[in-house]
Amino acid sequence: MAVHVISVGLSLFRSLEDPDKLTALGQKPELIKAIGQASPRELLKTAGVLRAAAPGKAGEAVSDWLSGALARPAEQRRDHQAADLLAATAAAIKPEQWTARISAELDTFDRARRATIPLGKKDTAVLVCTDTAEDLLAGLWNAVALSGGARFLSRIRYLPDPPAQLGSVRNAVLLTRIRYLDASSDSGFARAMRGLGTLGRALLDAGDVDPGDPFLFYLSGGYKAAIPYLIGLAEGVRSAAPDREVEAFVLHETSEARAIRLPLRRMPADCVWEELREFDDRTGICHGEIPEPRTLEGYAYEKDTRKTFRLTPFGEGLRTLFPRLHEQIK
């Protein structure tokens, strides 16, 4: 089993709007016509989601709609009308017949080792989206393609916020919203890193993720400003679970070669514990002394005044991710 973490952007929609990109779908004119008629980018408009959203709350409205559309049939929050619309649109546009070139997410995934489309039954894919309407919708269609199309929508689970516990994740495509992943503010940056740390910890603790299962990160999709967040998560996972294989990949949009493997640091767990354990969970401030050599200064924390230190967003994520610090926070 492998855990695949994929950042999501809007390249899928750029492809759907470009006839030349659509022609790359195996030269299938009937499929191209069906996609044009079904208008997958207009799904939320068809469902009336954005029309009913309060000003500035489009992302929240889409999140609520996804929760209902992707809930299991027996769950109380299941929105049968939304689920039926999603299934009908997916059946019309046949994402299982798309080539990987239709999005940066699928393309990078397809060109890295140990990745298959649709996702292997023993694997887990985590699609990481920010909290905007368009990004969530792009994440949805990438998730449908990864899961295998309309017949396999039950493989998709929507996580409106990273949960502390995930349970079983094998054979699942997790569509995950991380608030403020668009790096729109300093406070949002910290909140996004805490969310990523919570997600990483939950994946490491998931019941059917074994200690030998690799974590593979694909970072070509999404906001460019989000790449440091996700590299930070990959390095945090590699450091929190030092015996686990962790790799990260990126693909240049003009490249015809395989995805490029990115270098990842490993931080000693004892060092992270000693330097971050005294920070206050509410304020992010440490009023005491931090032991030398302070190898994480400038990355996980910075000197705030002559007598205090303050966590950086990356430090917020590390405290949520590392086992001993995670237990301390709880």
Side-chain angles (χ1 to χ4, degrees):
M1 175 180 173
V3 177
H4 305 275
V5 182
I6 307 168
S7 57
V8 173
L10 304 181
S11 64
L12 174 63
F13 293 144
R14 290 194 292 272
S15 293
L16 293 178
E17 292 170 352
D18 185 342
D20 291 333
K21 294 283 182 63
L22 277 180
T23 305
L25 292 179
Q27 302 294 328
K28 299 175 181 175
E30 291 302 317
L31 176 58
I32 296 169
K33 181 180 178 181
I35 292 173
Q37 291 176 337
S39 300
R41 189 169 188 174
E42 302 301 317
L43 178 69
L44 300 174
K45 186 180 293 185
T46 303
V49 178
L50 302 181
R51 183 174 63 250
K57 298 293 184 179
E60 202 64 41
V62 175
S63 180
D64 291 343
W65 187 86
L66 287 171
S67 292
L70 293 170
R72 299 293 179 265
E75 290 182 295
Q76 188 173 5
R77 61 191 176 94
R78 171 86 166 187
D79 182 333
H80 293 282
Q81 184 176 1
D84 290 346
L85 175 61
L86 172 57
T89 307
I93 65 176
K94 297 179 172 59
E96 68 276 11
Q97 295 186 21
W98 297 354
T99 72
R101 303 300 183 265
I102 201 166
S103 74
E105 296 83 351
L106 298 179
D107 200 8
T108 309
F109 182 76
D110 184 58
R111 295 205 220 179
R113 63 192 182 93
R114 285 183 289 192
T116 61
I117 301 175
L119 181 74
K121 293 182 179 179
K122 294 182 179 180
D123 286 359
T124 301
V126 186
L127 289 163
V128 179
C129 307
T130 191
D131 52 345
T132 64
E134 278 206 313
D135 207 54
L136 289 167
L137 182 59
L140 172 64
W141 289 126
N142 276 293
V144 175
L146 270 178
S147 68
R151 291 176 52 221
F152 300 98
L153 292 176
S154 61
R155 296 182 74 184
I156 305 173
R157 288 166 54 187
Y158 177 61
L159 306 176
D161 288 295
Q165 296 180 326
L166 278 170
S168 174
V169 296
R170 191 183 298 268
N171 191 34
V173 179
L174 307 180
L175 181 60
T176 309
R177 177 180 67 163
I178 302 292
R179 299 173 191 264
Y180 305 108
L181 196 57
D182 58 352
S184 56
S185 69
D186 290 342
S187 61
F189 189 5
R191 185 168 178 179
M193 285 305 302
R194 285 195 297 271
L196 288 173
T198 300
L199 174 64
R201 186 71 257 159
L203 289 167
L204 287 169
D205 291 342
D208 50 2
V209 174
D210 296 328
D213 292 336
F215 275 55
L216 308 171
F217 292 77
Y218 309 87
L219 309 182
S220 298
Y223 293 91
K224 294 296 183 287
I227 290 178
Y229 296 60
L230 292 151
I231 291 177
L233 174 62
E235 291 182 336
V237 170
R238 190 167 188 260
S239 303
D243 295 330
R244 187 183 300 275
E245 180 184 354
V246 180
E247 295 180 297
F249 303 92
V250 69
L251 179 70
H252 192 275
E253 61 186 6
T254 63
S255 175
E256 295 297 327
R258 295 184 65 82
I260 298 169
R261 182 180 173 185
L262 298 173
L264 297 174
R265 292 175 295 178
R266 177 179 283 129
M267 294 162 276
D270 288 344
C271 170
V272 175
W273 164 254
E274 289 296 333
E275 294 190 34
L276 300 188
R277 64 178 177 172
E278 298 299 332
F279 282 85
D280 184 271
D281 297 327
R282 183 178 58 84
T283 65
I285 292 176
C286 173
H287 293 280
E289 282 296 316
I290 295 176
E292 296 288 352
R294 297 180 186 169
T295 57
L296 299 179
E297 185 173 358
Y299 176 79
Y301 59 88
E302 295 175 328
K303 186 168 286 188
D304 192 41
T305 67
R306 291 179 63 185
K307 296 183 178 180
T308 65
F309 298 87
R310 182 181 296 275
L311 287 173
T312 66
F314 289 100
E316 298 271 8
L318 287 174
R319 277 182 55 79
T320 310
L321 181 61
F322 268 71
R324 293 169 72 186
L325 292 167
H326 178 70
E327 289 301 317
Q328 183 187 57
I329 292 171
K330 291 198 299 184

mmCIF file of all heavy atoms in Angstrom, residues 279 286 289-290 292 294 297-312:
data_model
loop_
_atom_site.group_PDB
_atom_site.id
_atom_site.type_symbol
_atom_site.label_atom_id
_atom_site.label_comp_id
_atom_site.label_asym_id
_atom_site.label_seq_id
_atom_site.Cartn_x
_atom_site.Cartn_y
_atom_site.Cartn_z
ATOM 1 N N PHE A 279 6.408 25.689 23.922
ATOM 2 C CA PHE A 279 5.584 26.738 23.323
ATOM 3 C C PHE A 279 4.139 26.598 23.773
ATOM 4 O O PHE A 279 3.595 25.494 23.863
ATOM 5 C CB PHE A 279 5.666 26.683 21.790
ATOM 6 C CG PHE A 279 6.930 27.275 21.238
ATOM 7 C CD1 PHE A 279 8.093 26.510 21.137
ATOM 8 C CD2 PHE A 279 6.971 28.597 20.831
ATOM 9 C CE1 PHE A 279 9.262 27.056 20.637
ATOM 10 C CE2 PHE A 279 8.128 29.153 20.323
ATOM 11 C CZ PHE A 279 9.287 28.381 20.235
ATOM 12 N N CYS A 286 6.958 30.995 23.404
ATOM 13 C CA CYS A 286 7.759 30.364 24.452
ATOM 14 C C CYS A 286 8.449 31.465 25.245
ATOM 15 O O CYS A 286 9.181 32.285 24.670
ATOM 16 C CB CYS A 286 8.790 29.412 23.839
ATOM 17 S SG CYS A 286 9.962 28.725 25.029
ATOM 18 N N GLU A 289 13.828 29.576 27.973
ATOM 19 C CA GLU A 289 15.001 29.390 27.124
ATOM 20 C C GLU A 289 14.828 28.142 26.258
ATOM 21 O O GLU A 289 14.252 27.150 26.696
ATOM 22 C CB GLU A 289 16.257 29.242 27.980
ATOM 23 C CG GLU A 289 16.769 30.566 28.521
ATOM 24 C CD GLU A 289 17.222 31.502 27.416
ATOM 25 O OE1 GLU A 289 17.912 31.039 26.485
ATOM 26 O OE2 GLU A 289 16.884 32.692 27.475
ATOM 27 N N ILE A 290 15.310 28.210 25.050
ATOM 28 C CA ILE A 290 15.320 27.057 24.154
ATOM 29 C C ILE A 290 16.755 26.556 24.091
ATOM 30 O O ILE A 290 17.686 27.339 23.878
ATOM 31 C CB ILE A 290 14.821 27.443 22.753
ATOM 32 C CG1 ILE A 290 13.342 27.855 22.833
ATOM 33 C CG2 ILE A 290 14.995 26.278 21.769
ATOM 34 C CD1 ILE A 290 12.770 28.351 21.523
ATOM 35 N N GLU A 292 20.353 25.171 23.198
ATOM 36 C CA GLU A 292 21.232 25.236 22.027
ATOM 37 C C GLU A 292 21.384 23.837 21.433
ATOM 38 O O GLU A 292 21.221 22.849 22.153
ATOM 39 C CB GLU A 292 22.595 25.792 22.442
ATOM 40 C CG GLU A 292 22.555 27.224 22.960
ATOM 41 C CD GLU A 292 22.304 28.250 21.862
ATOM 42 O OE1 GLU A 292 22.304 27.856 20.670
ATOM 43 O OE2 GLU A 292 22.120 29.421 22.183
ATOM 44 N N ARG A 294 19.710 25.226 18.867
ATOM 45 C CA ARG A 294 18.555 25.897 18.231
ATOM 46 C C ARG A 294 18.570 25.708 16.708
ATOM 47 O O ARG A 294 18.503 26.680 15.946
ATOM 48 C CB ARG A 294 18.543 27.384 18.577
ATOM 49 C CG ARG A 294 18.361 27.674 20.059
ATOM 50 C CD ARG A 294 18.348 29.174 20.332
ATOM 51 N NE ARG A 294 18.306 29.457 21.750
ATOM 52 C CZ ARG A 294 18.488 30.658 22.286
ATOM 53 N NH1 ARG A 294 18.723 31.698 21.471
ATOM 54 N NH2 ARG A 294 18.427 30.836 23.578
ATOM 55 N N GLU A 297 15.587 27.270 14.733
ATOM 56 C CA GLU A 297 15.324 28.710 14.766
ATOM 57 C C GLU A 297 15.369 29.264 13.347
ATOM 58 O O GLU A 297 16.256 28.937 12.556
ATOM 59 C CB GLU A 297 16.348 29.427 15.637
ATOM 60 C CG GLU A 297 16.037 30.909 15.808
ATOM 61 C CD GLU A 297 16.952 31.603 16.800
ATOM 62 O OE1 GLU A 297 17.821 30.921 17.390
ATOM 63 O OE2 GLU A 297 16.803 32.826 16.976
ATOM 64 N N GLY A 298 14.391 30.090 13.018
ATOM 65 C CA GLY A 298 14.277 30.632 11.671
ATOM 66 C C GLY A 298 13.413 29.780 10.766
ATOM 67 O O GLY A 298 13.012 30.233 9.692
ATOM 68 N N TYR A 299 13.117 28.556 11.203
ATOM 69 C CA TYR A 299 12.236 27.675 10.437
ATOM 70 C C TYR A 299 10.966 27.373 11.241
ATOM 71 O O TYR A 299 9.869 27.703 10.810
ATOM 72 C CB TYR A 299 12.956 26.364 10.092
ATOM 73 C CG TYR A 299 12.069 25.364 9.372
ATOM 74 C CD1 TYR A 299 11.807 25.508 8.015
ATOM 75 C CD2 TYR A 299 11.510 24.288 10.040
ATOM 76 C CE1 TYR A 299 10.989 24.610 7.343
ATOM 77 C CE2 TYR A 299 10.695 23.369 9.381
ATOM 78 C CZ TYR A 299 10.437 23.536 8.043
ATOM 79 O OH TYR A 299 9.626 22.651 7.387
ATOM 80 N N ALA A 300 11.131 26.770 12.417
ATOM 81 C CA ALA A 300 9.973 26.419 13.240
ATOM 82 C C ALA A 300 9.600 27.529 14.221
ATOM 83 O O ALA A 300 8.457 27.590 14.680
ATOM 84 C CB ALA A 300 10.230 25.124 14.002
ATOM 85 N N TYR A 301 10.534 28.389 14.542
ATOM 86 C CA TYR A 301 10.257 29.498 15.459
ATOM 87 C C TYR A 301 11.259 30.612 15.206
ATOM 88 O O TYR A 301 12.315 30.408 14.597
ATOM 89 C CB TYR A 301 10.304 29.045 16.926
ATOM 90 C CG TYR A 301 11.646 28.466 17.327
ATOM 91 C CD1 TYR A 301 12.685 29.276 17.796
ATOM 92 C CD2 TYR A 301 11.895 27.098 17.223
ATOM 93 C CE1 TYR A 301 13.911 28.748 18.140
ATOM 94 C CE2 TYR A 301 13.128 26.558 17.563
ATOM 95 C CZ TYR A 301 14.119 27.387 18.025
ATOM 96 O OH TYR A 301 15.357 26.865 18.354
ATOM 97 N N GLU A 302 10.904 31.797 15.677
ATOM 98 C CA GLU A 302 11.778 32.962 15.548
ATOM 99 C C GLU A 302 11.796 33.720 16.861
ATOM 100 O O GLU A 302 10.852 33.625 17.659
ATOM 101 C CB GLU A 302 11.272 33.888 14.433
ATOM 102 C CG GLU A 302 11.317 33.268 13.049
ATOM 103 C CD GLU A 302 10.694 34.152 11.986
ATOM 104 O OE1 GLU A 302 9.744 34.899 12.317
ATOM 105 O OE2 GLU A 302 11.150 34.082 10.837
ATOM 106 N N LYS A 303 12.857 34.463 17.081
ATOM 107 C CA LYS A 303 12.934 35.278 18.296
ATOM 108 C C LYS A 303 11.952 36.421 18.160
ATOM 109 O O LYS A 303 11.977 37.184 17.190
ATOM 110 C CB LYS A 303 14.356 35.795 18.501
ATOM 111 C CG LYS A 303 14.552 36.527 19.817
ATOM 112 C CD LYS A 303 16.022 36.775 20.110
ATOM 113 C CE LYS A 303 16.709 35.497 20.540
ATOM 114 N NZ LYS A 303 18.102 35.747 21.020
ATOM 115 N N ASP A 304 11.044 36.544 19.141
ATOM 116 C CA ASP A 304 9.991 37.560 19.108
ATOM 117 C C ASP A 304 10.450 38.826 19.825
ATOM 118 O O ASP A 304 10.288 39.936 19.328
ATOM 119 C CB ASP A 304 8.729 36.989 19.766
ATOM 120 C CG ASP A 304 7.511 37.864 19.529
ATOM 121 O OD1 ASP A 304 7.355 38.363 18.408
ATOM 122 O OD2 ASP A 304 6.729 38.050 20.472
ATOM 123 N N THR A 305 10.985 38.665 20.999
ATOM 124 C CA THR A 305 11.629 39.764 21.726
ATOM 125 C C THR A 305 12.920 39.200 22.307
ATOM 126 O O THR A 305 13.311 38.072 21.996
ATOM 127 C CB THR A 305 10.740 40.276 22.878
ATOM 128 O OG1 THR A 305 10.638 39.242 23.882
ATOM 129 C CG2 THR A 305 9.340 40.632 22.387
ATOM 130 N N ARG A 306 13.567 39.952 23.145
ATOM 131 C CA ARG A 306 14.813 39.469 23.737
ATOM 132 C C ARG A 306 14.568 38.270 24.643
ATOM 133 O O ARG A 306 15.463 37.475 24.885
ATOM 134 C CB ARG A 306 15.477 40.594 24.541
ATOM 135 C CG ARG A 306 16.014 41.725 23.677
ATOM 136 C CD ARG A 306 16.625 42.818 24.519
ATOM 137 N NE ARG A 306 17.780 42.322 25.276
ATOM 138 C CZ ARG A 306 18.446 43.045 26.158
ATOM 139 N NH1 ARG A 306 18.072 44.291 26.401
ATOM 140 N NH2 ARG A 306 19.485 42.527 26.795
ATOM 141 N N LYS A 307 13.331 38.115 25.150
ATOM 142 C CA LYS A 307 13.051 37.059 26.125
ATOM 143 C C LYS A 307 12.044 36.024 25.644
ATOM 144 O O LYS A 307 11.753 35.078 26.373
ATOM 145 C CB LYS A 307 12.550 37.681 27.433
ATOM 146 C CG LYS A 307 13.577 38.553 28.123
ATOM 147 C CD LYS A 307 13.033 39.068 29.448
ATOM 148 C CE LYS A 307 14.085 39.916 30.165
ATOM 149 N NZ LYS A 307 13.586 40.435 31.472
ATOM 150 N N THR A 308 11.498 36.186 24.472
ATOM 151 C CA THR A 308 10.476 35.239 24.007
ATOM 152 C C THR A 308 10.756 34.781 22.577
ATOM 153 O O THR A 308 11.456 35.450 21.814
ATOM 154 C CB THR A 308 9.068 35.854 24.054
ATOM 155 O OG1 THR A 308 8.996 36.950 23.129
ATOM 156 C CG2 THR A 308 8.705 36.335 25.445
ATOM 157 N N PHE A 309 10.164 33.644 22.249
ATOM 158 C CA PHE A 309 10.212 33.086 20.894
ATOM 159 C C PHE A 309 8.788 32.828 20.438
ATOM 160 O O PHE A 309 7.907 32.543 21.249
ATOM 161 C CB PHE A 309 11.010 31.775 20.868
ATOM 162 C CG PHE A 309 12.442 31.922 21.257
ATOM 163 C CD1 PHE A 309 12.828 31.860 22.593
ATOM 164 C CD2 PHE A 309 13.420 32.117 20.297
ATOM 165 C CE1 PHE A 309 14.159 31.993 22.963
ATOM 166 C CE2 PHE A 309 14.752 32.252 20.653
ATOM 167 C CZ PHE A 309 15.123 32.191 21.993
ATOM 168 N N ARG A 310 8.564 32.907 19.131
ATOM 169 C CA ARG A 310 7.225 32.686 18.573
ATOM 170 C C ARG A 310 7.296 31.636 17.460
ATOM 171 O O ARG A 310 8.196 31.673 16.629
ATOM 172 C CB ARG A 310 6.644 33.989 18.023
ATOM 173 C CG ARG A 310 5.220 33.850 17.475
ATOM 174 C CD ARG A 310 4.715 35.179 16.930
ATOM 175 N NE ARG A 310 4.603 36.179 17.964
ATOM 176 C CZ ARG A 310 3.522 36.310 18.746
ATOM 177 N NH1 ARG A 310 2.484 35.487 18.594
ATOM 178 N NH2 ARG A 310 3.492 37.249 19.666
ATOM 179 N N LEU A 311 6.324 30.723 17.464
ATOM 180 C CA LEU A 311 6.266 29.707 16.422
ATOM 181 C C LEU A 311 6.003 30.330 15.061
ATOM 182 O O LEU A 311 5.221 31.271 14.938
ATOM 183 C CB LEU A 311 5.138 28.704 16.713
ATOM 184 C CG LEU A 311 5.341 27.704 17.845
ATOM 185 C CD1 LEU A 311 4.043 26.936 18.080
ATOM 186 C CD2 LEU A 311 6.479 26.747 17.545
ATOM 187 N N THR A 312 6.646 29.806 14.044
ATOM 188 C CA THR A 312 6.294 30.125 12.660
ATOM 189 C C THR A 312 5.159 29.179 12.236
ATOM 190 O O THR A 312 4.846 28.213 12.939
ATOM 191 C CB THR A 312 7.489 29.900 11.720
ATOM 192 O OG1 THR A 312 7.786 28.494 11.697
ATOM 193 C CG2 THR A 312 8.707 30.680 12.176
#
